[in-house]
Amino acid sequence: MPFPKICGTLSCASVIFLLTSNSWIIGEQPYPASPLVEGIRFDWTTHRRAAQGSDNFQLTWSDDDHLYGAWGDGGGFGGSNSKGRVGLGVARVEGSAKDHRGVNLWGGAASKRDATFDGKSWGMIGIANKLHMWVVPDKPPGKTYRNHYEMIELASSGDYGLSWNKAPWRFSASDDLTIPTFLNFGRGNEGVPDAFGDYVYTYFIRPRNAQMEQEGGNGVGLIVHQPGALYLARVTPDQLRSGRDCFEFFAGFDQDDQPRWDSIDRKRPVFRDAEGVGWCVSACYHPGLHRVLLCTEHGESKAGMLGIFDAPTPWGPWTTVEYYTQSMPFGAQREGSRWPWKNKVFFMAFVTKWFDGHEFTATFTGAGLGKDNDSFNTVSGRFLLRKE
């Protein structure tokens, strides 16, 4: 199913063929193959698991050289699905990719501070000596049930995750926006290319419809949103907390094929996938490849059906690095991993601190009610580049 011209390129659906024991299965990628990265090779002997019962953990690299990230519905490092359980917690991850340890800061087992509000986060960024995270609610005000889709708030910390305060404004589902993530760069958010400008970038998922709820009367659960689309917004670092009107949204391209930026009501999708986009997304910039890397689900949630895409700019043009399918989900082949596994992964992110040339260490997490991939998982690998 071809798409029209998006992000300055004709995004003809590329077809991948997966050989099974019975037949050839055809699956469609939303964008052509990456001209730079042929694929990814994971080294599953490096698979580590911690914080069993806690999920999410999108990490940002702060100026103090530590990593910080939020988890949901568990006790974090040293906790379990019940021990130290909080709806939203924040941890610090110290050390190298091969030798790291987690410390609970805000909520969780033996944490340094108690968590002061609930919710979930799949987007955190460190800018200079401040941390910021997008937060969606567990139970919105006036509701007795969960609805992550209802609104989006920004929480910030000036003491490296020990305390958090929310900005007095929010985005909402009525804006046709839901569960966002930040585009992460280097240490303290350094290394933003000049061509991108002095901005903080955020990708927002377009909800299937603005009235949908996670639970309640028309509850649909946490789903892949179809037809899938992502919006992109930017704001200068000094105005990040100033108000929603300070955000400019991608609004298509001008006659010179340059991105236009406009108000929220003039936004246009910056990414599309007819198979949908997940209820969570991750995005980062690889300084060696000079590419933005974006990960999200498609087709079905909590089934390892991840897509990994790359682009030279935050607004594209997008190409496909990997597109995992129902027949060949993420982690289907993992020789060397000693951990139990059920195919329920829904989130993966690359860690900018742990890029080493073409090698990387990624985090991933999944469903499992306190078991298997409902945890903090890391695995190292290598980007396989195309031969000239």
Side-chain angles (χ1 to χ4, degrees):
M1 182 184 300
F3 273 105
K5 186 176 182 182
I6 300 173
C7 296
T9 186
L10 182 64
S11 175
C12 298
S14 302
V15 179
I16 55 174
F17 297 89
L18 299 175
L19 181 61
T20 68
S21 58
N22 298 318
S23 62
W24 287 92
I25 303 225
I26 300 177
E28 289 189 347
Q29 300 174 179
Y31 294 97
S34 170
L36 179 65
V37 185
E38 186 173 11
I40 292 175
R41 179 180 296 148
F42 291 100
D43 178 3
W44 286 97
T45 65
T46 67
H47 180 192
R48 295 181 60 184
R49 178 174 289 169
Q52 191 70 63
S54 302
D55 55 14
N56 308 342
F57 290 106
Q58 183 272 321
L59 300 179
T60 191
W61 187 8
S62 178
D63 73 329
D64 65 354
D65 203 31
H66 294 313
L67 296 165
Y68 294 85
W71 80 81
D73 293 339
F77 294 96
S80 68
N81 203 39
S82 55
K83 179 184 176 183
R85 183 183 176 100
V86 290
L88 177 65
V90 173
R92 182 176 65 233
V93 177
E94 306 169 349
S96 67
K98 295 181 180 179
D99 183 22
H100 55 78
R101 63 183 289 267
V103 178
N104 295 338
L105 300 175
W106 186 81
S111 63
K112 296 183 180 299
R113 300 281 180 86
D114 292 337
T116 53
F117 52 82
D118 269 338
K120 296 291 179 287
S121 178
W122 290 270
M124 186 179 291
I125 193 166
I127 303 174
N129 61 351
K130 300 290 195 302
L131 298 174
H132 308 274
M133 65 174 169
W134 290 118
V135 178
V136 297
D138 275 345
K139 296 178 181 179
K143 298 287 178 67
T144 59
Y145 52 84
R146 278 189 171 186
N147 186 23
H148 293 346
Y149 303 135
E150 186 158 326
M151 63 187 188
I152 303 160
E153 297 178 300
L154 179 68
S156 303
S157 173
D159 53 13
Y160 295 103
L162 292 175
S163 62
W164 293 86
N165 64 88
K166 293 181 180 179
W169 50 268
R170 62 183 55 154
F171 293 109
S172 69
S174 62
D175 294 314
D176 207 26
L177 302 173
T178 192
I179 305 176
T181 196
F182 286 110
L183 171 57
N184 266 269
F185 291 88
R187 178 174 175 173
N189 209 44
E190 294 180 348
V192 181
D194 291 341
F196 298 178
D198 184 21
Y199 293 101
V200 178
Y201 289 91
T202 295
Y203 293 95
F204 293 85
I205 295 171
R206 182 177 69 185
R208 191 171 72 181
N209 66 68
Q211 290 74 43
M212 67 184 297
E213 293 187 301
Q214 180 183 348
E215 298 177 5
N218 66 351
V220 297
L222 293 173
I223 62 170
V224 169
H225 298 265
Q226 295 172 319
L230 298 177
Y231 295 112
L232 176 66
R234 70 180 190 179
V235 65
T236 58
D238 62 312
Q239 291 187 310
L240 179 59
R241 284 182 58 90
S242 297
R244 48 179 282 148
D245 292 339
C246 295
F247 286 74
E248 300 176 311
F249 283 78
F250 172 81
F253 291 94
D254 62 21
Q255 61 184 7
D256 297 321
D257 211 26
Q258 295 301 305
R260 292 188 295 108
W261 302 94
D262 213 323
S263 60
I264 189 171
D265 58 331
R266 293 181 179 271
K267 63 186 181 299
R268 292 187 182 179
V270 74
F271 175 95
R272 294 180 186 267
D273 185 349
E275 294 297 312
V277 296
W279 44 278
C280 51
V281 181
S282 72
C284 72
Y285 181 75
H286 191 296
L289 298 176
H290 306 290
R291 308 289 281 187
V292 173
L293 299 169
L294 185 148
C295 306
T296 189
E297 293 183 292
H298 55 267
E300 177 186 354
S301 186
K302 307 172 190 174
M305 295 175 66
L306 303 177
I308 303 173
F309 306 91
D310 69 336
T313 72
W315 48 88
W318 298 102
T319 50
T320 303
V321 174
E322 294 282 4
Y323 201 72
Y324 298 98
T325 66
Q326 188 175 40
S327 300
M328 189 61 70
F330 171 80
Q333 298 176 348
R334 53 187 187 284
E335 183 178 354
S337 173
R338 64 185 179 88
W339 298 102
W341 186 280
K342 289 188 178 179
N343 185 33
K344 294 184 178 181
V345 171
F346 60 78
F347 181 76
M348 178 184 140
F350 295 101
V351 182
T352 58
K353 180 183 177 180
W354 293 339
F355 285 142
D356 183 9
H358 298 151
E359 298 182 353
F360 63 83
T361 295
T363 64
F364 65 90
T365 190
L369 298 176
K371 300 179 180 178
D372 303 316
N373 287 319
D374 182 12
S375 51
F376 176 72
N377 294 269
T378 60
V379 63
S380 298
R382 183 176 181 85
F383 295 106
L384 305 178
L385 303 191
R386 297 189 183 278
K387 296 180 181 179
E388 295 184 4

